[in-house]
Amino acid sequence: MRIQHPRDAGPLAALSPAESARLMAVIREAALSRGRLPLPARPVIGASWDRMLRLGLDPDHGRAPRPLGLDELELRRRQTRLAEVLPTLHSGLLEAAEAAGHIMIIADAEGRVLWIDGHRGVRRQADGIALVEGSHWAEDVAGTSGIGTALAVRSPVRVHSAEHFVSAFHTWSCAAAPVHDARDGRLLGVVDISGPAGTAHPTVLSLVTATARWAEGELRLAHSRELEGLRAVAAPLLARVRGKAVVVDRHGWVAGVTGVTPRERRLPLPKAPYDGPVWLPGLGACAVEPLPGGHLLRVLDGETLEGGDPAIWGHLLLDLRQPHRWTLTFSGPSGTWTHELSARHAEVLLVLAAHPEGRTAAQLAQDLFGDATRTVTVRATVSRLRGRVGAVLAHRPYRIAESVRIDVAAPDRPAGLLPFSSAPAVARLRGSRSLF
């Protein structure tokens, strides 16, 4: 027998929270036994129960995977764009959650809980159901819940009491809404308010939804600022381009043009744009050159790349001659740009320049920290570096992209090479008569 999902659950809505919780428990038991339902569940809940029954999820306990380790949790926190809107989410929800005796939860797109804040007593209760930072609350793990079901249907959801598929969560009520990335529509995660079912109020879903939309608006503004920054970098380059060219960010949004007017504000980019000329609708064959935060698309119009070799699109100069200032300069057919480097990013680029064959995350961790287990830190560092200098870095293994040449400008005295660095690989290079 399949659970029926009518559009209107009016009889349930007319009951008090306590009465509806008792009736939902009866409805859930009937659904689990595939018997006749005394009253239909709400469509979103019934559909979720169907999914859980097909998965064979334990209705009493669900699954209990181990929480993330601290390193992995910190990596996810640093990499998610949800971190950019934490102040917005806190100002919109935290005070209301604490006043109601509830907690605010932020989870990523996989259902991993990244942050929990709110009422201390309720946080202690949450520990008892493994609702902790790093825990996994996707539907296939925790069953029907605010976090997991909102992720599954990509819409705001309230799950109250026995609407939870797993009976261990029946004393809880939760309301969650998804947050999407304004740049590409990608699901970033959900924001949720959870607490004891007896003190929950139906209007909390409206508050959570409004706050999620507010956060998405903040992300759109941040993206607009990123495009403005890219325009500032692109303007002098476009002024020197002879012919047609377009500057886009890493997601294909147009930041500047010369000689051509794309029909769309966003262009579809291939996953590996630097493997050679790419063909784009409305532009045709384009040479792709990296920019900090984006790409320069130069319309070929029958041309070939410099030297007739489509595999060579530029030259990098890693300048480490100064003791406190380090830069990476890219030179391509359409001009040059320079990016100032942090000490850690300078170390990474120096090591990769010394190892053109590439380094695994473990090897790079050994090079930088003398500890091959610090791969989480390495991945976060390289991810941030790629976000700043474009795809001049390749991965698997980490290396300078094959189609770019890199040179290092080192200080005259070996001891002056990144003098404050304690990275083992840098120390070895200081002792080498010839860096490369």
Side-chain angles (χ1 to χ4, degrees):
M1 172 183 172
R2 182 176 178 79
I3 303 171
Q4 299 178 6
H5 315 304
R7 295 182 180 178
D8 185 13
L12 270 178
L15 298 176
S16 69
E19 291 171 330
S20 65
R22 286 192 293 269
L23 183 53
M24 280 306 307
V26 175
I27 295 171
R28 173 183 171 276
E29 289 303 317
L32 293 181
S33 63
R34 297 293 190 177
R36 183 175 181 82
L37 305 187
L39 194 68
R42 290 189 294 131
V44 67
I45 300 301
S48 177
W49 287 352
D50 270 346
R51 291 191 293 271
M52 300 308 98
L53 290 170
R54 288 196 299 269
L55 284 172
L57 190 71
D58 183 346
D60 294 321
H61 306 289
R63 291 197 297 119
R66 294 180 61 183
L68 297 174
L70 289 178
D71 285 347
E72 180 65 21
L73 177 60
E74 285 302 318
L75 175 62
R76 291 192 182 221
R77 286 172 169 173
R78 287 195 297 265
Q79 290 184 333
T80 180
R81 291 204 78 202
L82 292 172
E84 300 175 32
V85 291
L86 272 179
T88 297
L89 297 174
H90 275 82
S91 62
L93 292 177
L94 186 56
E95 184 178 349
E98 290 183 323
H102 284 55
I103 54 177
M104 184 189 80
I105 303 163
I106 300 171
D108 66 16
E110 294 180 6
R112 287 289 188 176
V113 174
L114 301 180
W115 293 279
I116 297 180
D117 206 344
H119 193 278
R120 291 185 179 181
V122 177
R123 289 194 67 172
R124 288 193 292 271
Q125 294 178 43
D127 291 345
I129 59 170
L131 181 53
V132 296
E133 293 175 338
S135 59
H136 199 182
W137 278 72
E139 264 200 344
D140 61 348
V141 174
T144 307
S145 70
I147 295 172
T149 305
L151 288 172
V153 301
R154 302 202 169 199
S155 295
V157 172
R158 178 174 184 258
V159 180
H160 179 68
S161 187
E163 288 183 326
H164 289 89
F165 183 80
V166 176
S167 61
F169 312 143
H170 284 186
T171 58
W172 286 77
S173 184
C174 47
V179 180
H180 297 86
D181 193 329
R183 301 172 301 184
D184 55 12
R186 180 171 53 93
L187 179 64
L188 296 174
V190 297
V191 56
D192 171 279
I193 285 185
S194 292
T199 59
H201 196 282
T203 59
V204 71
L205 182 59
S206 297
L207 177 61
V208 171
T209 302
T211 304
R213 300 296 82 79
W214 182 15
E216 290 176 343
E218 291 291 325
L219 291 174
R220 279 191 293 272
L221 288 175
H223 182 226
S224 295
R225 290 191 290 268
E226 290 170 1
L227 284 177
E228 285 299 320
L230 182 56
R231 290 187 184 103
V233 174
L237 293 178
L238 290 173
R240 293 193 294 267
V241 171
R242 296 179 180 178
K244 305 172 182 177
V246 180
V247 170
V248 297
D249 71 2
R250 293 187 298 273
H251 303 275
W253 290 94
V254 175
V257 300
T258 184
V260 64
T261 304
R263 291 192 296 267
E264 304 293 337
R265 294 175 58 198
R266 185 184 181 198
L267 301 177
L269 298 178
K271 290 184 177 180
Y274 302 119
D275 287 345
V278 300
W279 188 91
L280 297 174
L283 296 179
C286 298
V288 186
E289 300 175 29
L291 293 175
H295 316 283
L296 173 69
L297 310 175
R298 188 160 56 83
V299 181
L300 292 175
D301 278 345
E303 305 174 36
T304 59
L305 293 178
E306 188 176 89
D309 185 356
I312 302 300
W313 45 256
H315 169 252
L316 288 172
L317 175 64
L318 178 60
D319 191 342
L320 305 178
R321 288 174 291 185
Q322 301 298 318
H324 303 290
R325 182 177 181 269
W326 314 284
T327 61
L328 182 71
T329 299
F330 174 82
S331 300
S334 302
T336 65
W337 51 261
T338 298
H339 177 73
E340 291 200 17
L341 300 167
S342 68
R344 178 69 73 211
H345 288 170
E347 289 174 338
V348 171
L349 288 167
L350 177 61
V351 171
L352 295 182
H355 295 276
E357 76 283 1
R359 305 296 275 171
T360 65
Q363 289 173 326
L364 200 50
Q366 185 68 41
D367 292 332
L368 297 177
F369 309 111
D371 182 355
T373 66
R374 295 187 61 178
T375 56
V376 171
T377 304
V378 164
R379 293 190 183 100
T381 299
V382 177
S383 177
R384 287 194 295 272
L385 178 57
R386 293 190 80 214
R388 286 164 172 75
V389 303
V392 297
L393 298 182
H395 58 96
R396 297 180 184 175
Y398 295 123
R399 63 194 186 281
I400 304 298
E402 294 176 1
S403 49
V404 67
R405 188 176 78 254
I406 185 168
D407 292 318
V408 178
D412 294 333
R413 295 173 52 254
L417 180 67
L418 299 177
F420 299 103
S421 172
S422 60
V426 175
R428 288 194 298 271
L429 289 170
R430 289 193 197 110
S432 173
R433 290 185 178 181
S434 174
L435 283 178
F436 309 106

